[in-house]
Amino acid sequence: MVEKVITLENVSLVEFLGPDNQNIRQLAAAFPGSKIISRGNEIKIQGQTAVISRINEILSALLEHYHQYGQITDKTVSQYLTSADEDQQDRMLAASPDVILFGAKGGVIKAKTANQQRLVDAVLKHDLVFALGPAGTGKTYISVALAVRALKNKEVKKIIISRPVVEAGESLGFLPGDMKEKVDPYLRPIYDALEDMLPPEKFKFYLENKTIEIAPLAYMRGRTLNNAFVLLDEAQNTTPSQLKMFLTRMGPNAKVMVNGDRSQIDLPTKQKSGLIQALDILRDVRDIGFVEMTSEDVVRHRLVKQIVQAYDKFDVQQQQDQANRPVREYRPSYQRRQEEVANHDAGKHPDARREDDGTRALPVNQEQ
């Protein structure tokens, strides 16, 4: 364990240390593996070398703040602690290029599979990327992490995340509340991901000043999305006109991601998916990235991978059955209708006319 002593000069101890040394106690609580002891105008720090270095940086910043403003509060200490954590994360990110981001609780967020890493690389290389794959492959989570990283690195000025508001195979009927309360349940996965990656206060601040926008797809019409990281999630549930509208919102210095799962289309049966059409139309356009994920990229519960594989096998079997089904002889509809009427009449009327074989007696004229 290393020890360092800092001497405070030209400082009012009460104003700098706080009542009953509360500022120093707050600083010590942020580094539980070390000891910070205040005696007179000296502060003694004991701990590992790297930790002592970080504490010394924070104390130096607090001293500069005190000499400039003449006061240190618990809120000031909290702000400098947060700033120091972000600086430390930036240094760690620079040293670990495979790490996308550090979460709000310090967890490391990075690609866990080869295709997830391909997605990260594609976003760095292309301004428009389509990410396709089954549920649980991390499309949304990785995309949101990339958006937050771009914002923190000042590559963009805002994050815009959207989803089409489509019910997943069931009708929920009338939903109470204002517009935000009605659509928030559809956007909940986005909120969950952002809450994992940003401290609550900062997330709330970003939402209030529109640095982060989370809105239904219908709200995108008429806008030009510039200097922004834009994510469209659940794109398989867009119509062709909706997806074309979204893609043409792209402004200068924008990064756009389109995520979708072709096996989970919740549109009405006769409605074509805009994602399926866009893949056919844009497949050969240069400078657009396409990343296809599979069941091998599923990072949820181990059973999810087996469930996805079982459904894939079932779909393949159905396609084979349809291909092997015998083709019925084509007959014009009017001909089929005539045959149905003839069969119907012949079956229902015992004395229905049969083909004359020359032996049937002629009808007797009863008139006199």
Side-chain angles (χ1 to χ4, degrees), residues 277-345:
Q277 185 189 73
L279 293 176
D280 292 336
I281 295 173
L282 303 176
R283 180 62 70 178
D284 297 326
V285 176
R286 294 182 60 187
D287 298 326
I288 297 180
F290 296 90
V291 179
E292 188 86 40
M293 296 187 175
T294 69
S295 59
E296 296 301 319
D297 299 301
V298 172
V299 291
R300 291 180 183 167
H301 193 285
R302 59 180 178 80
L303 282 177
V304 175
K305 181 184 295 186
Q306 298 176 34
I307 291 169
V308 171
Q309 290 174 341
Y311 271 93
D312 287 345
K313 184 178 179 181
F314 175 76
D315 290 339
V316 170
Q317 185 61 50
Q318 274 200 323
Q319 291 173 2
Q320 290 177 348
D321 291 345
Q322 280 189 333
N324 296 332
R325 185 176 299 169
V327 180
R328 296 177 61 183
E329 180 185 357
Y330 172 75
R331 287 172 295 166
S333 58
Y334 71 87
Q335 182 179 340
R336 293 199 303 270
R337 181 60 183 160
Q338 287 178 341
E339 292 178 359
E340 289 170 1
V341 170
N343 292 336
H344 179 271
D345 291 343

Side-chain angles (χ1 to χ4, degrees), residues 4 12 41 56 67-68 84 91 94 98 135 139 142 173 200 204 220 229 233 241 258 301 306 315-316 324 331 333 351:
K4 181 179 178 63
S12 168
N41 67 335
N56 185 49
H67 288 304
Q68 185 173 359
R91 287 193 291 270
D98 60 327
K139 302 184 299 297
I142 293 292
K204 182 180 178 182
M220 299 296 107
F229 193 109
D233 205 31
S241 61
V258 179
H301 193 285
Q306 298 176 34
D315 290 339
V316 170
N324 296 332
R331 287 172 295 166
S333 58
D351 56 348

Side-chain angles (χ1 to χ4, degrees), residues 33 65 87 107 141 204 212 215 229 237 313 351:
H65 183 98
D87 291 342
Y141 201 79
K204 182 180 178 182
I212 295 180
F229 193 109
N237 289 328
K313 184 178 179 181
D351 56 348

Side-chain angles (χ1 to χ4, degrees), residues 229-240:
F229 193 109
V230 190
L231 168 63
L232 175 61
D233 205 31
E234 301 291 346
Q236 75 276 2
N237 289 328
T238 61
T239 65

